[in-house]
Amino acid sequence: MADRPRFGPAGVPPTFKMMNTPLKEVPILLHEEGLDAFEYEAVYWGGKPQMQKEHAEEFGQKAKENDVWLSLHGSYFINFCGEKKVVEASKRRLISCATAAEWMNAYVVVFHPGFYGRKLRGQAYETCVETLKEVVKTMKNLGIKNTKIGPETMGKPSQLGSLDEVVGICEEVEQTQLVIDWSHLHAREFGRFRTVDDFREVVERIEARLGTEATKNMHCHFTKIEFTDKGERKHHTLSEGRYGPDFEMLAQIIAEFKLRPIIISESPLLDIDAIKMRDTLRKLL
Ligand SMILES: [Zn+2]
């Protein structure tokens, strides 16, 4: 579990890309920026890892040497609430992402659970939980034991991934890691976070169900977000004042509850806004 709050970008920052930085050098540059986390984006992967084992291991080694904690964002092509064929393919995709996550020593593979579709919410949730139990069983058989699966709170009311559903999955399925995308919750609930108390309420609800340790160690995504009546629409940078949520409020709660989350910046500015959030929290601690 993380030793302190850590910050990093979701994927390789634009400036690193402009310099054609090879993946194994990304942790070095992050370390130079004073960042200490990184989420590898495996978001377009299919049923097989799109990376060689030795490259993943080398990358993991470089991250370790530079004190950068790794997580991996799993495939977008996952739906654990759909038709049987879709669910089976989703299982293979999540397992392929978990395999590579284990190679690079990423502590969690984050994933989007699925869409309710025509199913009733409760029914979709049950299908999802039962399938995830099977996924974890397969992971154990494959020797994947360090990487956890992390269901994420989702930004649209049509997606499975309310706070209660994600917490429920973490209660019912072994080898899970809580992933709170604060921006998604904000969009899904049409501007939920207006005051520090709104953030406190979420943390208290999590603590009541999952306990203090799981709460302290939550994995977070954060950015400013625009939404419509269908939920999430677009990510914005932290300096765009007319969008929420406000990181400073979350930072107050992190300090108050002595949380040590991994906070991944999903702002279009990635590392630059990760640094901004780090500095905001630092001022409070
Ligand atoms: Zn996500």
Side-chain angles (χ1 to χ4, degrees), residues 39 43 73-74 76 110-112 152-154 181 184 221 266:
E39 192 147 292
V43 296
H73 199 306
Y76 287 148
V110 176
F111 68 99
H112 303 169
E152 175 180 345
T153 56
M154 296 309 303
D181 186 313
H184 279 167
H221 287 169
E266 289 198 329

